[in-house]
Amino acid sequence: MPPITTRPLFCRYLAQCRMMAVSMENFIKHTKVQVAKISPDLTESVAKEELQQSCDNFFRENIYLAGKSITEKAVERVVDGDTILIYKKSQLILHILLEAKARNKNFRVMVVDSRPDLSGVQSCERLTAAGIPCSYVYINSCTYVMKKVTKVMLAADALLANGYVLGPVGTALIGLISSTYNKPVIVCCETYKFSERVQTDSILYNELADPDSMLKTLNEEDTPVSNWRDCPNTRLVNLVYDTTPPALVSIVITEIAELPCTSAPVVLRRGAVKM
Amino acid sequence: QWYQRRVTGERRSYVSVVKTINVFRDLICTAEWVTGRELIKIVKCYCKYLPLSQSNETDVSNVVRRILKIIREESVGPEATNSADGISAFFKTDIKPCNLGRSDLQDNILNSIVELLAELDTSKSNIVNMALEHIHSNERILTYGHSNTIRDFLLYGRKARDFEVIVCESGPSLKGHKMAAELSEGGIKTTVIADSAAFAIIHAVNKVIIGTHTIMADGALRATNGVHQVAMAAKFFSVPVIVCAPLYKLSPTHLCSYDPDAFNKVIGPEKMLNFSNANLHSKVLISNPDFDYVPSDLIELFITNTGGHAPSYLYRIISELYHPEDYDLDNMCVEDVEDEMAT
């Protein structure tokens, strides 16, 4: 995307609210195309209504219905007796598991969580509320529990054009451990998250979250680096994303098909043709 | 003669090892024995009183094995040890009676134990002094959690070289924060990252230097929880993993099972999930293992007080440090069993 000062005003506003994510960029591109398509002889109010309608359609088709379609495909992969490993909290993965439970499948879930945000606790709460037996570990213990796991289901924040999966930081580690122990890694990703960007490592393009959140401990006490801002030699780095190489992922489930990671550019080309 | 098992703080493993040696020194002086074999039997019986029942406390059991080896060597006598070499020495399991009386034998054993104590005392400084051979300028080194040995190793390297260290927080205990604070006080530019970011940054790192709790007989590690995946990520990107540990951590035991009783230790989950989330604690199985098994093929080099060794060489060091009959401290040698059956 062009640098921030030359972007239109609404993009700059959005970028100030939250750093540009791949899904945001794709939606903005879609909206710009819709704006260009609007015929010039429509009145302003009608044009606005059309645009709002197209935004709603985008949400309904690409997010809501896509989610349902992915759930249908993914639920078939859950069999009785499975132990499924999930990482942190993802609406889509939780939806898949709750749907599988609603279809009376008998399975356990291993929730892997990591600092600093510890969102896996919310996953545990939702899964236990639905009656699914859960186990909970930190990502350090992933190798300890991996033997008992039968499948790994991960969510993606984006799928890059060279097949790399951009996910919450720690996804790559889980992909590595799973493929070492020969467990299938299933990534669920809607097509609006596919990006033309290519990346081979996680550092080149990443987000940095608030470093002070790394200082938060469960019993609210200080850690030895709590005064890190006063120490010139200490730095805290809180990465948000990491990229998983395609060799570590078995399959990507999207609403149009179940693909290998490397088919990402095919989907992108199909999407470009549609537009 | 009991000592406080909960030894904590600086050089925890070294302090517990020294205390063990002192306990056995007293035992050798005060117990009733005439031959070396009787003393070995007494030492092995006394082992039951020490906290060796937990398979994790390997520092203590390793040093007991060293003491037993000293007793065996002194009992056989100086001529026998000098002439014994090569394969015949390796298979020598019996102890020939020696002409030395108890007082002479006791003096020899105690002298050797003093030498052992001196060796242990200098073990850390020997490792630390090798820092300059393994760290070069403008490097980025990744380390995991907290280790006194690694901290001193890196601080020694800082005296002559300028480099950066990235420290992984290390899970629920957050020992990595303490390490980062100590390193940055020593003038090293330190970055703290979450454990989950290990894969993300490891390709940009030159080497991984870690400490360990125990070194197993095949070169595998029993290390802090989370080290295995960092080592796997390092292997994926071909980043060398270097382990710094003194030889009293080298244990002639192999991995037989990953279960908590045999290898691991599971500690309380209060650091992972607050007890205020009591409803979750009751419904969810929360695991907080303390150790991690790291297979030897992920490790590039061991830096010990006797120098650098490849994991494939450790079997040789074990045969020099310990006697095969002492690998399992519970068993008695064949002659003792025959004695027992005769009486």
Side-chain angles (χ1 to χ4, degrees):
Chain A
M1 284 205 86
I4 194 163
T5 45
T6 63
R7 283 188 226 160
L9 211 58
F10 71 91
C11 286
R12 265 186 271 166
Y13 171 69
L14 285 173
Q16 278 173 356
C17 295
R18 193 211 179 282
M19 197 171 142
M20 263 315 164
V22 164
S23 39
M24 288 163 72
E25 288 176 12
N26 286 344
F27 175 69
I28 290 173
K29 256 189 250 168
H30 166 89
T31 314
K32 280 189 186 168
V33 166
Q34 299 304 314
V35 165
K37 273 191 197 165
I38 290 191
S39 82
D41 29 275
L42 288 178
T43 63
E44 193 180 303
S45 55
V46 175
K48 277 190 183 169
E49 261 186 47
E50 268 200 29
L51 276 178
Q52 281 179 339
Q53 191 64 40
S54 79
C55 287
D56 287 340
N57 282 343
F58 183 91
F59 174 78
R60 204 171 61 91
E61 282 174 16
N62 288 305
I63 301 177
Y64 178 67
L65 289 177
K68 290 192 89 161
S69 168
I70 292 176
T71 307
E72 281 296 323
K73 297 194 172 80
V75 161
E76 279 161 41
R77 295 193 173 261
V78 178
V79 296
D80 282 344
D82 258 347
T83 302
I84 299 181
L85 188 139
I86 67 171
Y87 184 55
K88 285 191 165 168
K89 178 169 180 268
S90 159
Q91 296 275 37
L92 184 55
I93 304 290
L94 282 178
H95 198 248
I96 294 170
L97 295 175
L98 295 173
E99 179 65 28
K101 182 70 180 174
R103 296 190 192 183
N104 293 321
K105 300 209 182 193
N106 214 356
F107 61 97
R108 298 184 54 92
V109 175
M110 179 75 68
V111 179
V112 175
D113 205 4
S114 80
R115 291 190 81 243
D117 47 344
L118 296 179
S119 52
V121 178
Q122 298 170 37
S123 285
C124 273
E125 283 169 5
R126 284 194 64 186
L127 292 169
T128 48
I132 303 174
C134 277
S135 303
Y136 177 80
V137 287
Y138 271 24
I139 194 168
N140 323 59
S141 321
C142 198
T143 47
Y144 179 71
V145 297
M146 192 50 84
K147 276 179 284 311
K148 302 174 209 153
V149 164
T150 52
K151 296 187 171 70
V152 176
M153 277 195 170
L154 300 172
D157 282 304
L159 203 65
L160 305 178
N162 59 341
Y164 277 64
V165 176
L166 196 78
V169 66
T171 311
L173 262 181
I174 297 197
L176 177 65
I177 300 168
S178 313
S179 54
T180 310
Y181 284 83
N182 290 319
K183 311 290 178 187
V185 177
I186 304 167
V187 171
C188 300
C189 184
E190 298 96 331
T191 50
Y192 78 92
K193 289 179 182 166
F194 280 50
S195 163
E196 281 158 10
R197 213 164 66 207
V198 288
Q199 232 179 281
T200 52
D201 62 67
S202 318
I203 299 186
L204 204 65
Y205 192 96
N206 207 324
E207 272 183 44
L208 284 179
D210 178 23
D212 289 319
S213 59
M214 290 174 74
L215 300 173
K216 258 193 255 151
T217 53
L218 285 177
N219 42 7
E220 305 295 325
E221 56 183 31
D222 274 342
T223 73
V225 284
S226 292
N227 57 344
W228 66 280
R229 290 183 200 274
D230 304 325
C231 304
N233 285 330
T234 318
R235 230 171 26 141
L236 296 181
V237 167
N238 189 3
L239 289 176
V240 174
Y241 296 125
D242 73 8
T243 48
T244 309
L248 305 179
V249 175
S250 313
I251 195 170
V252 176
I253 301 183
T254 66
E255 72 269 21
I256 43 178
E258 295 171 335
L259 322 155
C261 269
T262 41
S263 299
V266 174
V267 172
L268 284 168
R269 209 178 59 193
R270 183 183 172 276
V273 164
K274 229 174 45 167
M275 281 208 282
Chain B
Q1 279 167 333
W2 282 95
Y3 66 92
Q4 262 285 337
R5 188 167 164 259
R6 281 265 130 229
V7 180
T8 52
E10 278 288 317
R11 301 200 76 184
R12 179 204 61 84
S13 50
Y14 171 71
V15 168
S16 60
V17 153
V18 167
K19 287 192 173 183
T20 311
I21 294 181
N22 289 334
V23 163
F24 279 97
R25 231 186 348 192
D26 291 341
L27 178 69
I28 291 170
C29 295
T30 57
E32 284 183 26
W33 53 275
V34 177
T35 63
R37 213 167 78 199
E38 280 174 31
L39 179 58
I40 287 173
K41 226 165 100 174
I42 292 172
V43 167
K44 280 196 173 176
C45 287
Y46 200 76
C47 284
K48 294 192 189 68
Y49 296 114
L50 288 178
L52 301 176
S53 53
Q54 255 213 1
S55 56
N56 305 324
E57 299 299 324
T58 46
D59 302 337
V60 167
S61 53
N62 289 343
V63 86
V64 171
R65 291 184 183 106
R66 295 288 299 268
I67 292 174
L68 286 169
K69 173 98 189 223
I70 286 173
I71 298 171
R72 284 178 200 271
E73 278 180 355
E74 298 300 337
S75 304
V76 168
E79 334 79 39
T81 43
N82 284 342
S83 63
D85 54 8
I87 299 186
S88 56
F90 191 70
F91 285 107
K92 223 188 250 312
T93 54
D94 54 353
I95 301 166
K96 295 196 191 66
C98 190
N99 293 331
L100 292 174
R102 174 186 162 143
S103 57
D104 287 336
L105 186 56
Q106 186 172 304
D107 286 341
N108 287 348
I109 292 173
L110 292 177
N111 284 340
S112 296
I113 288 182
V114 167
E115 286 173 16
L116 174 64
L117 278 173
E119 180 198 318
L120 294 175
D121 192 29
T122 55
S123 59
K124 187 171 180 189
S125 52
N126 284 347
I127 295 174
V128 164
N129 290 344
M130 285 188 258
L132 294 178
E133 292 167 32
H134 296 281
I135 304 176
H136 61 77
S137 280
N138 298 323
E139 256 197 329
R140 247 189 242 117
I141 295 175
L142 177 73
T143 186
Y144 191 90
H146 185 268
S147 162
N148 292 322
T149 313
I150 303 298
R151 179 201 60 205
D152 293 343
F153 187 86
L154 294 172
L155 288 175
Y156 187 86
R158 179 72 186 93
K159 291 186 192 161
R161 313 251 199 266
D162 197 11
F163 56 93
E164 255 184 64
V165 173
I166 302 180
V167 181
C168 289
E169 278 187 324
S170 163
S173 53
L174 295 184
K175 294 199 188 117
H177 286 203
K178 182 168 170 228
M179 180 76 150
E182 289 169 356
L183 287 176
S184 55
E185 260 174 68
I188 301 179
K189 275 204 220 67
T190 320
T191 307
V192 179
I193 58 164
D195 310 320
S196 41
F199 191 97
I201 54 105
I202 202 151
H203 73 94
V205 153
N206 296 105
K207 43 174 76 99
V208 177
I209 302 185
I210 48 176
T212 178
H213 180 270
T214 307
I215 308 175
M216 317 287 279
D218 57 347
L221 301 183
R222 179 194 281 138
T224 325
N225 196 24
V227 171
H228 187 186
Q229 56 201 35
V230 173
M232 281 165 73
K235 182 92 180 190
F236 190 84
F237 288 103
S238 299
V239 173
V241 175
I242 298 174
V243 178
C244 297
L247 280 178
Y248 61 80
K249 290 192 177 176
L250 176 59
S251 176
T253 48
H254 288 266
L255 174 79
C256 49
S257 147
Y258 296 98
D259 288 342
D261 288 333
F263 179 80
N264 218 323
K265 190 171 76 173
V266 181
I267 52 183
E270 65 273 6
K271 288 221 161 120
M272 289 172 62
L273 193 62
N274 247 333
F275 281 131
S276 54
N277 266 322
N279 58 337
L280 266 191
H281 270 275
S282 57
K283 291 185 201 144
V284 175
L285 179 67
I286 304 176
S287 298
N288 191 5
D290 206 15
F291 296 124
D292 219 352
Y293 173 75
V294 184
S296 57
D297 54 338
L298 299 177
I299 298 159
E300 191 72 25
L301 182 70
F302 282 96
I303 297 179
T304 66
N305 45 309
T306 53
H309 305 292
S312 48
Y313 185 67
L314 291 178
Y315 80 96
R316 198 79 184 88
I317 299 179
I318 286 177
S319 68
E320 285 167 22
L321 289 179
Y322 312 121
H323 194 276
E325 278 194 3
D326 302 328
Y327 288 175
D328 181 6
L329 284 173
D330 291 331
N331 85 346
M332 290 160 51
C333 66
V334 176
E335 288 99 336
D336 292 331
V337 172
E338 284 169 359
D339 285 349
E340 289 279 332
M341 289 174 68
T343 55

